[in-house]
Amino acid sequence: MMQRVVIKLLVIIAFFTHIHGNTIVNEKHFFEKDFQKALDGDVDAQFNIGLMYYEGVAIEKDLNQAFFWYKQAAENGSVEAQNNLGYMYEHGIGVDKNQTLAIQYYKMAASRDYGVAKLNLALYYEAKQSDKHMETALYWYKKAAEHNLIVAQNNLAKFYYFGNHVPLDYEKALYWYDKAAKSGDPLAQFNLGMMYYSGEGTEKNYDKALELLEKSAASGNIYAQSKLGEFYRAGTLVDQDYKIAMKYYQKAAKQGDNLSMYYIGYFYYYGHDVEKNTKEGIKWMHKAADNGYSHAKSFLERHGYK
């Protein structure tokens, strides 16, 4: 069964990398230069000043000033500023929460084909958790996904994979996971790999599944690391190798994966390709049990440990 993971991303103008190209420059003279331009009505400078005040870059953080300059830029047509005002209103950052104005500003930017605003609209409506709002969320996810926004592609795939408010459609889920995976997203790589493994929406392709899981795990995805640990432990798709299994389990355990903690404890307790160490094994079993993992609790009870 594929892990049900909903990515919730709080998006503010392409993750705050707009000032002077793709690098936020933390130097006072850039602020002073843009501030004068902003006073002269330059819309990009107005947005940059708003962003610098919002982030506290080159100037002390001031949400009131951020809001003021975003509003100036928004009124002059900046879709980035319109999106950011929507975000501030939605979450009550520097202003009182106002969902009506949040939607108004998001839609203002979205109407000018700004993908991040479309994604924020999708996230907003999905959070409402009602059939009516889910239809709207799906609409905006489709629009945002066309901009190659990974979050939109992943969440759209999720809708189709689980049949959430749409007919279950593995082929469409596969399509959108593939889009996100090709952009290097580890979660999409994991989900796509599992679909190739299970043959959902496509013929089973174990080589492709393994390749995608390895890419995902190398990028730090906990689910891929745990799954590869399972594969090497059980000899699924690969030759059984407890040492490699342990390597993947250790990576996933560092991120809090209880199954991996359990098997690390199991390997130490029984000496599976590691030096047998009962104390170390029980330590890892306790870690998993303390996190509520039932198999670890049962193991400790069976072996007389509290």
Side-chain angles (χ1 to χ4, degrees), residues 280-299:
E280 187 71 8
I282 295 305
K283 182 187 84 172
W284 281 100
M285 284 294 176
H286 274 299
K287 283 187 178 184
D290 290 345
N291 289 334
Y293 192 63
S294 60
H295 291 300
K297 290 180 180 179
S298 297
F299 182 95

Side-chain angles (χ1 to χ4, degrees), residues 4 8 10 53 100 107 128 139 146 191 209 228 239 257 262 287 292:
R4 182 169 183 164
K8 301 300 290 183
L10 304 182
Y53 270 120
T100 301
K107 286 187 175 179
K128 298 297 180 184
Y139 169 82
E146 292 170 359
N191 285 336
L228 285 170
D239 293 333
D257 184 61
Y262 171 83
K287 283 187 178 184

